[in-house]
Amino acid sequence: MEYTILILVLPFLSFLLLGLGGKRFPPKVAGLIGTVSLAAVTVLSYAAAAGYFGGGRGADGTFPTLVPYEMTWLPLNDTLSIGMGILLDPISVMMLVVISTVSLMVHIYSFGYMKGESGFQRYYAFLSLFTLSMTGLVVAVNIFQMYVFWELVGVSSYLLIGFYYRKPAAVAASKKAFIVTRFADLGFLTGILIYGYYAGTFSFTPQAQALVAAGAMIPLALGLMFVGGAGKSAMFPLHIWLPDAMEGPTPVSALIHAATMVVAGVYLVARMFPLFIGYAPEVLPVVGYVGAFTSLFAAVIACVQTDIKRVLAFSTISQIGFMMVALGVCTSDDPHAGGLGYLASMFHLFTHAMFKALLFLGAGAIIHAVHSNEMKDMGGLRKYMPVTHITFLIACLAIAGIPPFSGFFSKDEILSACFAFSPVMGGVMTFIAGLTAFYMFRLYHNIFRGSGRNVAEEGENHHPAPREAPAAMTVPLIFLAAATCVAGFIPFGEFVSSNGTAYHIHPDLKVAAVSVCVAIAGIVAATLRYKDGKRRPVSRFKGLYVAACRRFYIDEIYRFVTHKIIFGCISVPVAWFDRHVVDGFMNGLAWITNATSRKIRGLQSGAVQQYAVVFLGGALALIVILLLT
């Protein structure tokens, strides 16, 4: 399968071509270059999946781990070196399919959404760089290669979020995303260095003796790596960058939120999962509790947001929390080594990629039609945008967990794993699933039901009626809707599991029944309150409502800590010390040197007669001294 190297080469060449010479191409040609390149990557990814899984399992019942390409990139010493290459195993192949599929849909969709935008060529160059970064991350042969592409993901997301660089809010959002994730990545890098030192390798499969001998250092290293994953996946309290990332183009939001950047942290924990469960099982509950709190926190905020993209942003944070919880509730007591939680997390990652990309691209079609992100400017759009309406409804049903849509199957497995871990954890996550159904159908009703302000004012103010998006935008919606309908029926456990052997899913009917009833209750509650598309004041829990609208003041806390404490109490005194003490000391040395030089510069006048007189005087002085002694 040596051809898989082209999965990295093609987007790299596309990025170089469009980045260096994009202005020489007409916008459509530049878009076509990027899209054709990504289409080829998608074909290669599907071919790799077919070839890999079609090759069957080995004698031990597992799919093989293949390294079709590897090179030594940085030799450190005789025993330790850093390589670059392609690693194919069940989760990396699955991620290639997810990334290439969603990226291709975004490339096609952008033809319609970004039409007429300045910087069209630059936009497609950045998309190619983003795709290269994510594919390089998931096929990394070692943790250091993963880190290199991990940082490239950060760079490319910075470029895409700040695409509208003339807009101050977009520039601020891109810097915020970059800085927050860099702080998290400091923990990731520290964990990598500790791991490499004690394991003696950067490989994902080190020698067991080295890990046992390292003792508590391996749990520490893996815990620090999770900090990096928490930053990239927007786990609390490092979530603050993700809602602001909505300042980028909507197709970028779909790319970041659905299948790429935000799931990188989940993929990191899954990639290192054998080490977590084998040598640091005490870290996994921390992963689970952080994920559960983040999921609840984000779901509550999503219930009150009015910007449709920010509703979906907090929904993403909540759903990533579900995936983290599923990994965190795994225990070594499970005969399949935590199989249910691991399988559920990867399955939800797969299904979530499809319906969340569908939701964001559907939101883009809506914004394209009404020229606003706010729900108050929407309503009644089902009559004007039938394709967007049906596909968006399918995605809402999927994320709410209604059968037979894909989200039901993956979320049900997560809830089963949570109940197996703890009834309390299962109950909390079921409640969050109900909140998910509520805020998604609140969103649906405010967009598609009721009369709608724009529609009502159409005749009076001669506003053009909202129209369905062009084919370049609706075709990806239809494709992703179809994938959302069928993805749940894929026998996922036959391909991806925690220990490589086939995992046969046995649904827990009690858990499924409860989760469906809770989801229906959430839908009914949203329907009763928002079916006419009108916004009503909140009389009960007003304090909670106001706090949720302000995102529980986390951004204000960060601003206080950074501006008042770090800048005011630390940076200002340090700056004063630097200006007055450090600079004063150096300036004093310079003044002393200058003053001394002015006093003695006459000794180096260049006058030979003066030198002769001084020389003769010195010689006579020495003679007198010698005679006297």
Side-chain angles (χ1 to χ4, degrees):
M1 302 181 74
E2 291 82 0
Y3 64 85
T4 51
I5 189 63
L6 295 174
I7 294 175
L8 299 182
V9 171
L10 289 175
F12 177 68
L13 294 177
S14 174
F15 166 67
L16 287 182
L17 183 61
L18 297 177
L20 297 178
K23 290 186 177 180
R24 299 180 182 179
F25 299 113
K28 288 185 178 180
V29 174
L32 190 62
I33 291 172
T35 304
V36 169
S37 170
L38 214 288
V41 169
T42 305
V43 171
L44 291 171
S45 297
Y46 276 79
Y52 180 81
F53 291 119
R57 299 178 180 272
D60 59 352
T62 65
F63 287 108
T65 297
L66 305 179
V67 183
Y69 179 83
E70 186 174 17
M71 59 172 285
T72 299
W73 174 57
L74 187 63
L76 300 177
N77 54 45
D78 294 337
T79 59
L80 184 61
S81 63
I82 299 175
M84 290 280 183
I86 304 286
L87 183 148
L88 300 179
D89 68 352
I91 60 169
S92 65
V93 172
M94 180 270 293
M95 286 298 296
L96 284 178
V97 171
V98 169
I99 293 168
S100 61
T101 300
V102 174
S103 295
L104 179 60
M105 294 301 105
V106 168
H107 275 71
I108 296 172
Y109 180 93
S110 296
F111 263 100
Y113 189 88
M114 300 296 290
K115 183 179 180 181
E117 292 275 5
S118 61
F120 192 83
Q121 300 93 327
R122 173 168 53 92
Y123 172 80
Y124 271 91
F126 292 166
L127 286 185
S128 296
L129 178 62
F130 200 107
T131 304
L132 163 69
S133 304
M134 272 307 301
T135 52
L137 188 156
V138 300
V139 299
V141 294
N142 57 66
I143 189 67
F144 212 95
Q145 179 185 344
M146 177 183 280
Y147 179 75
V148 170
F149 283 96
W150 184 279
E151 294 303 319
L152 274 177
V153 169
V155 171
S156 51
S157 64
Y158 167 81
L159 295 172
L160 284 168
I161 294 168
F163 176 78
Y164 298 120
Y165 61 88
R166 293 185 178 89
K167 186 179 177 183
V171 174
S174 63
K175 290 192 293 185
K176 187 176 184 179
F178 191 80
I179 293 170
V180 171
T181 53
R182 292 294 72 70
F183 276 105
D185 291 351
L186 177 62
F188 187 19
L189 179 59
T190 305
I192 290 173
L193 296 177
I194 295 174
Y195 172 80
Y197 179 81
Y198 284 96
T201 180
F202 292 111
S203 169
F204 297 120
T205 55
Q207 294 293 325
Q209 297 89 333
L211 299 181
V212 172
M217 299 309 295
I218 296 301
L220 174 62
L222 293 175
L224 289 170
M225 290 183 195
F226 170 66
V227 172
K232 196 73 80 180
S233 290
M235 295 290 99
F236 182 90
L238 300 171
H239 66 283
I240 59 171
W241 66 269
L242 192 57
D244 291 350
M246 298 299 96
E247 295 294 339
T250 301
V252 170
S253 302
L255 194 60
I256 291 176
H257 286 249
T260 51
M261 183 174 179
V262 294
V263 299
V266 179
Y267 179 79
L268 169 66
V269 177
R271 168 57 70 198
M272 307 295 288
F273 185 76
L275 300 180
F276 272 100
I277 201 163
Y279 301 95
E282 64 272 25
V283 178
L284 285 177
V286 176
V287 175
Y289 295 136
V290 170
F293 181 82
T294 302
S295 187
L296 177 60
F297 174 85
V300 171
I301 296 177
C303 291
V304 300
Q305 295 296 298
T306 59
D307 182 319
I308 64 173
K309 288 178 66 176
R310 280 177 167 75
V311 173
L312 297 179
F314 281 103
S315 169
T316 296
I317 297 173
S318 183
Q319 295 302 302
I320 297 296
F322 268 88
M323 301 174 203
M324 286 293 193
V325 168
L327 291 171
V329 298
C330 296
T331 64
S332 55
D333 297 332
D334 189 322
H336 205 277
L340 179 58
Y342 181 95
L343 168 68
S345 179
M346 294 297 98
F347 195 15
H348 198 57
L349 187 157
F350 180 80
T351 60
H352 174 264
M354 303 304 165
F355 59 70
K356 184 52 65 70
L358 176 56
L359 286 168
F360 268 106
L361 296 184
I366 295 161
I367 295 168
H368 186 267
V370 302
H371 309 291
S372 174
N373 291 22
E374 292 292 327
M375 294 182 193
K376 63 182 177 60
D377 298 324
M378 302 172 189
L381 294 181
R382 68 188 187 280
K383 296 180 293 185
Y384 299 90
M385 307 178 70
V387 176
T388 303
H389 168 236
I390 295 299
T391 56
F392 200 91
L393 177 59
I394 289 172
C396 288
L397 291 168
I399 194 173
I402 300 299
F405 302 101
S406 59
F408 161 75
F409 296 95
S410 56
K411 189 174 289 186
D412 184 63
E413 296 306 317
I414 292 178
L415 296 179
S416 296
C418 290
F419 275 109
F421 176 78
S422 163
V424 174
M425 181 68 83
V428 169
M429 298 311 294
T430 301
F431 172 72
I432 299 172
L435 284 181
T436 303
F438 174 81
Y439 67 68
M440 286 309 305
F441 275 85
R442 168 182 177 266
L443 178 66
Y444 166 78
H445 287 301
N446 276 300
I447 294 172
F448 294 105
R449 307 289 292 184
S451 58
R453 176 175 158 181
N454 278 348
V455 179
E457 295 177 352
E458 175 193 345
E460 180 182 348
N461 296 330
H462 305 289
H463 290 316
R467 294 184 299 174
E468 186 61 87
M473 297 169 66
T474 54
V475 169
L477 296 181
I478 294 170
F479 177 87
L480 290 170
T484 299
C485 291
V486 303
F489 296 99
I490 296 175
F492 199 80
E494 298 293 327
F495 304 105
V496 177
S497 66
S498 61
N499 63 2
T501 60
Y503 190 97
H504 302 289
I505 299 175
H506 302 288
D508 189 325
L509 296 181
K510 291 183 180 179
V511 172
V514 170
S515 67
V516 170
C517 290
V518 169
I520 292 174
I523 293 172
V524 170
T527 301
L528 292 176
R529 185 170 180 82
Y530 300 104
K531 63 181 178 180
D532 54 4
K534 295 180 179 179
R535 300 179 64 191
R536 294 175 174 82
V538 176
S539 55
R540 301 179 64 186
F541 310 111
K542 189 172 182 179
L544 177 62
Y545 175 81
V546 173
C549 288
R550 299 296 298 271
R551 307 178 192 178
F552 293 101
Y553 306 98
I554 300 299
D555 286 85
E556 285 81 358
I557 292 172
Y558 269 103
R559 279 195 291 270
F560 176 81
V561 171
T562 53
H563 293 179
K564 299 296 183 181
I565 298 178
I566 297 178
F567 296 162
C569 299
I570 299 176
S571 299
V572 170
V574 168
W576 183 92
F577 182 84
D578 179 65
R579 285 194 301 269
H580 294 84
V581 178
V582 177
D583 289 352
F585 176 74
M586 300 306 296
N587 292 337
L589 290 178
W591 181 86
I592 292 171
T593 303
N594 287 332
T596 304
S597 67
R598 282 193 296 269
K599 296 294 184 182
I600 66 174
R601 64 184 177 183
L603 298 176
Q604 295 290 335
S605 64
V608 178
Q609 296 89 341
Q610 180 182 350
Y611 294 164
V613 172
V614 172
F615 176 78
L616 181 60
L620 291 174
L622 289 174
I623 291 172
V624 171
I625 293 171
L626 290 173
L627 290 175
L628 293 177
T629 57

